[in-house]
Amino acid sequence: MSTRVVLIADLHFPRVTPGAPEALLEAIAETEPVLIIAAGDFTMAGRRREFDEAAHFLDRIDAPIVACPGNHDIPAYNLFERFLRPTGRYERAIGARTLDRFVSDDLAVLAINSARPANISLDWSHGRLSRRQIAEAEAFFDRRHAARTRLLVTHHPFVLPPASASFRRIGNADRATAALARAGVHAVLTGHLHKHASSAMAVRLGTEDPDLMTVQAGTALSDRHRDEPNGFAVLGCGAGVEWIESHRFDGRSFRVFERSGPGGT
């Protein structure tokens, strides 16, 4: 029997599709997951009232939640907080209700923050992992080889699906991918693109050639659909990720759109 994990991302309160929040809560309850993974962008602009709405939504989920912030969760208009306390509002509203890691016999999950208040690009939405973050993630998973499935969560993607030319891979992606493969991580779970996708990343480490999966969540609630309905993913975890279900919102409820094994949709 697979352990069920739900992946959501890009809620973007208050700009949500009418009816989608209630439908998502119902779908999560019906799935009966052991864990929810929320891969960032709970708000549109990091305003306090937006975080209040997101926090109220999370309070209605009856399962542990592992979460990380997204670039939209850093205050957009309060430059003092953006640069001196970029995740202060997130930690008070979301961090107080969620975990940044989860460990059991079946799962080892770590969420790390890839959002940055600024970077060398004029587009502040791009994300990056530091060498220190990568080393800490590798050390965390090195100690958790007994867990049957090992998952890393970031907001920004390691792999770009087709038709994503305006986006960038997460900074330091190659270094991070190699480190995670060495540590035996099975999959990286991300958001940001508002499109569902899964694929395998081939990582060559000496004579080995392991596959590290990436699972990209669509937007769970936002009305910024980017040509794809609201959706979320369910992962069946056993000895790694055994299957993935994509669920999509039809205006009334979330229904299974497709199901695949590791390696692609």
Side-chain angles (χ1 to χ4, degrees):
M1 178 74 68
S2 298
T3 299
R4 290 179 171 236
V5 173
V6 164
L7 171 63
I8 61 175
D10 299 284
L11 281 66
H12 285 296
F13 283 98
R15 279 193 56 178
V16 299
T17 302
E22 291 296 329
L24 180 58
L25 290 171
E26 291 176 7
I28 289 174
E30 290 173 1
T31 301
E32 298 182 336
V34 299
L35 184 68
I36 308 296
I37 294 176
D41 274 3
F42 294 85
T43 69
M44 273 303 300
R47 296 182 176 93
R48 291 185 179 88
R49 64 179 181 274
E50 296 173 351
F51 276 120
D52 288 344
E53 289 189 46
H56 177 67
F57 177 83
L58 295 181
D59 285 341
R60 300 176 65 193
I61 295 176
D62 186 21
I65 304 170
V66 169
C68 64
N71 51 286
H72 279 265
D73 298 322
I74 296 175
Y77 302 111
N78 186 320
L79 295 184
F80 175 83
E81 290 205 38
R82 181 176 186 89
F83 289 103
L84 296 183
R85 293 193 294 269
T87 60
R89 295 180 182 181
Y90 170 88
E91 292 299 338
R92 287 191 293 273
I94 307 301
R97 291 168 165 80
T98 61
L99 309 168
D100 68 354
R101 62 198 65 200
F102 179 89
V103 178
S104 69
D105 291 341
D106 292 325
L107 294 170
V109 183
L110 177 67
I112 53 181
N113 178 18
S114 60
R116 297 292 181 262
N119 55 49
I120 59 174
S121 168
L122 293 177
D123 186 345
W124 290 0
S125 70
H126 301 312
R128 183 176 182 82
L129 296 180
S130 68
R131 293 191 178 193
R132 179 177 178 179
Q133 286 176 306
I134 294 168
E136 290 175 349
E138 185 175 7
F140 172 85
F141 289 109
D142 270 338
R143 298 191 297 270
R144 269 80 185 189
H145 276 279
R148 298 179 69 211
T149 304
R150 297 174 289 280
L151 307 171
L152 180 80
V153 186
T154 69
H155 178 63
H156 293 86
F158 279 56
V159 173
L160 295 179
S164 302
S166 62
F167 293 92
R168 292 184 184 178
R169 296 170 68 210
I170 193 170
N172 261 338
D174 291 338
R175 181 185 297 273
T177 300
L180 296 172
R182 285 194 300 268
V185 174
H186 294 103
V188 177
L189 279 49
T190 63
H192 191 56
L193 301 181
H194 293 211
K195 290 181 178 293
H196 171 81
S198 64
S199 62
M201 298 183 285
V203 186
R204 295 193 177 276
L205 303 173
T207 59
E208 299 178 1
D209 188 13
D211 283 337
L212 172 63
M213 286 191 66
T214 179
V215 182
Q216 171 69 50
T219 173
L221 299 179
S222 174
D223 62 7
R224 302 164 72 231
H225 296 150
R226 295 189 183 139
D227 301 321
E228 183 173 296
N230 293 106
F232 70 94
V234 181
L235 282 64
C237 299
V241 178
E242 297 179 334
W243 50 264
I244 304 166
E245 280 183 353
S246 169
H247 293 237
R248 288 188 175 181
F249 185 53
D250 64 8
R252 299 180 63 183
S253 61
F254 284 87
R255 300 182 182 275
V256 176
F257 176 70
E258 59 188 357
R259 178 176 171 130
S260 68
T265 55

